[in-house]
Amino acid sequence: MYSIRYRCGLLVPAFLKMISSNLVSSQDNNDYLIFAGFCLIASIFSRRFITTIGERILEAAKKAEKTAQESKQKIENTQLELFSARERIEDVKLAVDLKNSENTVTECTNNTQKDILLELADNYISKTSVPDYSERLKLKAELGRKMGEIIVRNNLPKDELLSNHHSEGMLLALSYSVQLKPNETGLDLLISIAKYASQLYTKYSILVSFDTLARSSYISPNQVKEVSDIVKAFRTHADRPLLRKIHDTLNILSFIGPLDDE
């Protein structure tokens, strides 16, 4: 860039001198050749100058776009962290309420609640398909928690639900039921759910459920390898929030038993 400016600085006085001379009005053919040479030089350097300016503008535009994308990603990450914290608080509050409440479910009520669960699970995709990212997460969390509560509060048979219903909504409902009431059967259920999960949020919920079981001592050292393999498999097509959650879950598992080398 400096070289081009320097050369242009040398050419400008020469052009000014040429314009002030009688070179343009001269009848000598040699003068026309000299004039044409100056024009050729001017065109070469002007093209280089314009090209350089264009490249610098394009580079600046790319940097601005990259900065904007990074800022957007940081905002989304912050929103997700706040959202996750709020949702975990709601999950814990509901889990405590379920633990303290007495089981007064009748068979009639049980069947009615099962029908409600199946309807919610079947319509899960359509009810949560909204364009806004934050609103979509909120709807999925609320519906997942509601379905999980129905399963836990009514003691619905989880294995039977999974065997007969592989919808994404049912997978999320079962995952939430493990979070709300962790026990020794939760790990086998999550391992089965993980085979069918396709949506990123369902996988995210399964990871939260793994965390819950780990903190409740329902994952033993000899089970860490199987669980960590499932967690690592979630990296395929994962977005940044899910990748970060995978990293956190693997860290939790590492306190229970050693992880295999990557």
Side-chain angles (χ1 to χ4, degrees):
M1 186 67 186
Y2 173 78
S3 176
I4 293 176
R5 289 178 177 176
Y6 176 74
R7 291 175 185 176
C8 289
L10 295 178
L11 285 173
V12 170
F15 278 116
L16 292 175
K17 184 176 181 181
M18 179 190 71
I19 294 173
S20 63
S21 68
N22 61 351
L23 185 62
V24 177
S25 59
S26 173
Q27 300 298 319
D28 190 345
N29 291 333
N30 291 330
D31 289 340
Y32 284 117
L33 291 175
I34 296 173
F35 179 75
F38 273 112
C39 291
L40 177 61
I41 294 172
S43 65
I44 292 174
F45 280 97
S46 62
R47 181 178 179 181
R48 289 184 181 178
F49 177 76
I50 293 173
T51 300
T52 303
I53 292 298
E55 290 175 350
R56 290 175 65 87
I57 293 174
L58 181 60
E59 182 181 357
K62 288 181 178 179
K63 289 182 178 179
E65 182 180 4
K66 182 180 179 181
T67 301
Q69 290 177 347
E70 291 176 349
S71 298
K72 181 181 178 181
Q73 187 62 52
K74 289 180 180 178
I75 292 174
E76 288 185 353
N77 290 342
T78 302
Q79 289 177 340
L80 181 60
E81 290 174 359
L82 292 174
F83 165 82
S84 298
R86 289 195 299 266
E87 293 305 315
R88 288 305 298 153
I89 292 173
E90 294 300 320
D91 292 343
V92 171
K93 288 167 60 178
L94 179 56
V96 171
D97 178 62
L98 290 171
K99 186 175 182 180
N100 293 333
S101 63
E102 293 183 358
N103 186 8
T104 58
V105 179
T106 64
E107 184 177 354
C108 180
T109 303
N110 186 294
N111 291 331
T112 302
Q113 292 300 310
K114 182 179 179 181
D115 291 338
I116 294 174
L117 171 66
L118 294 178
E119 182 180 357
L120 291 174
D122 290 341
N123 294 292
Y124 165 74
I125 298 295
S126 60
K127 288 181 177 293
T128 58
S129 296
V130 296
D132 184 75
Y133 179 75
S134 299
E135 182 65 18
R136 186 165 64 251
L137 290 181
K138 180 180 178 182
L139 289 174
K140 290 183 176 182
E142 290 177 348
L143 191 52
R145 187 183 303 112
K146 183 176 182 179
M147 292 188 294
E149 179 183 1
I150 292 174
I151 294 175
V152 174
R153 197 177 290 279
N154 297 277
N155 293 320
L156 298 181
K158 300 176 184 178
D159 291 335
E160 179 183 329
L161 290 172
L162 180 60
S163 298
N164 299 326
H165 307 280
H166 290 164
S167 68
E168 201 73 20
M170 183 58 71
L171 299 180
L172 183 66
L174 292 169
S175 175
Y176 262 89
S177 72
V178 175
Q179 297 177 34
L180 295 174
K181 190 175 181 180
N183 55 40
E184 61 280 354
T185 65
L187 183 59
D188 289 337
L189 180 63
L190 289 180
I191 292 174
S192 298
I193 293 172
K195 300 175 183 177
Y196 303 104
S198 60
Q199 285 200 349
L200 298 181
Y201 186 81
T202 306
K203 294 179 180 180
Y204 191 97
S205 176
I206 292 173
L207 294 179
V208 175
S209 299
F210 277 138
D211 296 352
T212 303
L213 291 180
R215 293 190 176 99
S216 302
S217 301
Y218 287 119
I219 298 180
S220 63
N222 60 354
Q223 293 172 318
V224 167
K225 181 184 183 305
E226 183 179 11
V227 176
S228 64
D229 287 343
I230 294 173
V231 174
K232 293 173 186 176
F234 282 176
R235 288 172 176 164
T236 304
H237 305 306
D239 58 4
R240 290 187 180 182
L242 182 57
L243 288 173
R244 188 168 60 252
K245 185 58 187 173
I246 290 171
H247 175 76
D248 294 341
T249 300
L250 290 175
N251 279 341
I252 293 174
L253 292 173
S254 68
F255 287 102
I256 301 174
L259 304 177
D260 288 346
D261 295 335
E262 295 291 336

